[in-house]
Amino acid sequence: MGRLVDQDYLWLRESQPRSQPGRIRRWLPFGLVPLAALGVWYGFYTAPDGSSAAPVASAETASPSNVAREARLIPAVAHVGTSARARPVNQIRQLTPSPGMSGLDAKALTMAPAGDLIGDAAHPGWRSVDIEQGDTLSLAFERAGLSYMDSLRIAHMPDLGHYFTRGLRAGSHLQVEADMAGRVQSLVYPIDAARTITLSRDDDGDGFSGSLAQKALQHRRTYARGVIRHSLYKDALAAGLSRPQVAQLNKVLSADVNLGRDVQSGDRFVVAYDELYRDGQRVGTGPLLAATLQGTTKDVQAIRYTDSAGQSGYYRPDGRPMRRAFVRAPVDFTRISSPFNLKRRHPVLHRLRRHEGTDFAAPQGAPIRATGSGKVTFRGRNGGYGNMVELRHDRHVTMRFAHMSRFARGLSVGDTVKEGQVIGYVGMTGLATGPHVHYEFRVDGQPRNPQTVKLPGAPPLTGSALARFEKTARPLMAALERPGGDVQLAEAGER
Ligand SMILES: [Zn+2]
């Protein structure tokens, strides 16, 4: 169950945002105004000639698009109906005051005529709650007039609560059955194409119980192949990968190849992934399972492997993870303003002074991230370095980050930080002519060029894990090497 939560699964619903029809619906009336005005104008001028049909014609040209818009909205409405009809037991229970109900609730129920309950007239009590960007369950419930306490009860459910907090996805639609006071009786949350959560209020009325149903998916192994003509990005799209898949591919391969510099015209690539089908309908794609890039200078292979603890990652065929222990730059979207150079004239001191690190020009205040995990061994003012943080990764490797405007809140000497964690913010304290990060990578105290130093990888697979990995990797690599795209139907599940 856990593996389907994976970020690398791409559901079709996500690649086609639901807000699109809404936006068209919102703006279409404005588009009709000039059209109608034109019609009136045309009618005004043509009426004396007896051709008064013109305004009518313009009205008719508008209505088919209305019909089309309504037709597009129908599936969502039909869905509400289906889920309501699928749970008749709850509908009956909702209208019957239960012994645990407060007097007020019970009164509200008995007084309410069925047609006055929320939802459409045919299926009273059910309403669709749309999750918008940045929503919490409480916010969405508030908009829909549902109980705040119930949103908390649901969000705190021990097993399913996290689907309504961290796991709540913008663009999804919850179907909620509630009484007039907004008390939730039951709830259906289709998380994605494969999974649906169903909750119902406990008989004692204070909590909810529910279950997660997972529909079986058919995995259809698919291969995308191509030859680089323009760029990996363009040619991978041309080979049939979607934009999010190309982004995944870039991320995976960039561990071993500089995609700007090392990919050349004529290089070949193959990518394996699963198309996911439910009831014969394509509903999304699974993560990239394997990828190769073969060229004159580069031969890169990556295979996805999920370890026994359920952690997925990409590995080289020999079991070494693609993930590195370090990244090369402490700031995003930046340029190197002064490279590592042990014989450089210093811009401020105007004399020969080794540049023992790399300078990354970056906007004042931009976050500086640890390039590897380590323990904070220095945090403070250090002469020309200005505000500096030093991290010790292990017995050999230390990293220095200088000229910070300020340090990350709460960071102090002795703390352990992870790769990617913010440790401070870009500034120009110490000897600096503009805002930048001076980044040093030292091995046994000796400065190394952080851009070219051979970075150690995360530890490789060994023993039984390696044997298990090879069992996955061998058939995948063999399939990638076969010419032409063979397609096979695999059973559900990644294994
Ligand atoms: Zn520097």
Side-chain angles (χ1 to χ4, degrees), residues 100-270:
M101 246 178 209
S102 74
L104 193 70
D105 283 346
K107 198 171 153 214
L109 269 188
T110 46
M111 283 172 64
D116 268 0
L117 288 170
I118 347 78
D120 60 344
H123 307 289
W126 285 90
R127 61 185 103 176
S128 179
V129 178
D130 302 337
I131 305 301
E132 295 170 4
Q133 201 66 48
D135 256 355
T136 61
L137 189 66
S138 300
L139 279 175
F141 268 31
E142 192 187 343
R143 268 200 316 276
L146 295 168
S147 159
Y148 173 70
M149 284 310 294
D150 283 349
S151 72
L152 297 187
R153 288 186 180 113
I154 292 168
H156 285 96
M157 287 177 72
D159 295 331
L160 298 172
H162 69 95
Y163 289 103
F164 297 92
T165 52
R166 278 169 293 137
L168 199 64
R169 288 164 178 247
S172 49
H173 307 274
L174 278 55
Q175 307 303 330
V176 180
E177 183 198 27
D179 63 23
M180 275 193 59
R183 253 170 69 104
V184 175
Q185 298 302 322
S186 47
L187 179 151
V188 179
Y189 175 21
I191 304 170
D192 51 44
R195 297 171 301 159
T196 300
I197 289 180
T198 309
L199 303 181
S200 54
R201 186 176 280 277
D202 291 338
D203 289 336
D204 62 15
D206 268 351
F208 291 89
S209 46
S211 61
L212 186 145
Q214 189 159 338
K215 285 181 177 147
L217 289 170
Q218 287 85 46
H219 287 222
R220 198 184 299 254
R221 185 62 45 81
T222 309
Y223 300 91
R225 298 166 188 276
V227 178
I228 303 292
R229 295 281 172 236
H230 306 279
S231 65
L232 182 65
Y233 184 80
K234 274 190 179 174
D235 295 311
L237 282 180
L241 295 181
S242 67
R243 278 168 207 278
Q245 283 182 309
V246 176
Q248 279 183 3
L249 180 65
N250 275 343
K251 205 171 138 196
V252 170
L253 293 182
S254 61
D256 270 13
V257 65
N258 182 326
L259 294 169
R261 194 185 60 205
D262 298 342
V263 177
Q264 286 163 7
S265 182
D267 291 359
R268 296 175 172 276
F269 63 89
V270 190

Side-chain angles (χ1 to χ4, degrees), residues 374-377 379 391 409-417 421:
K375 196 167 229 178
V376 180
T377 49
R379 173 203 174 278
L391 301 178
R409 197 186 297 260
L411 188 83
S412 45
V413 171
D415 287 354
T416 303
V417 297
Q421 189 174 330

Side-chain angles (χ1 to χ4, degrees), residues 338 344 346 355-360 403 431 436-440:
S338 175
R344 164 185 90 145
H346 194 275
H355 192 224
E356 301 189 335
T358 300
D359 290 348
F360 294 92
H403 309 312
L431 285 175
H436 73 278
V437 193
H438 169 94
Y439 168 48
E440 288 180 10

Side-chain angles (χ1 to χ4, degrees), residues 1-7 9 162-163 195 212 214 310 312:
M1 183 194 100
R3 71 179 61 240
L4 274 181
V5 186
D6 201 308
Q7 291 280 322
Y9 281 81
H162 69 95
Y163 289 103
R195 297 171 301 159
L212 186 145
Q214 189 159 338
S312 297

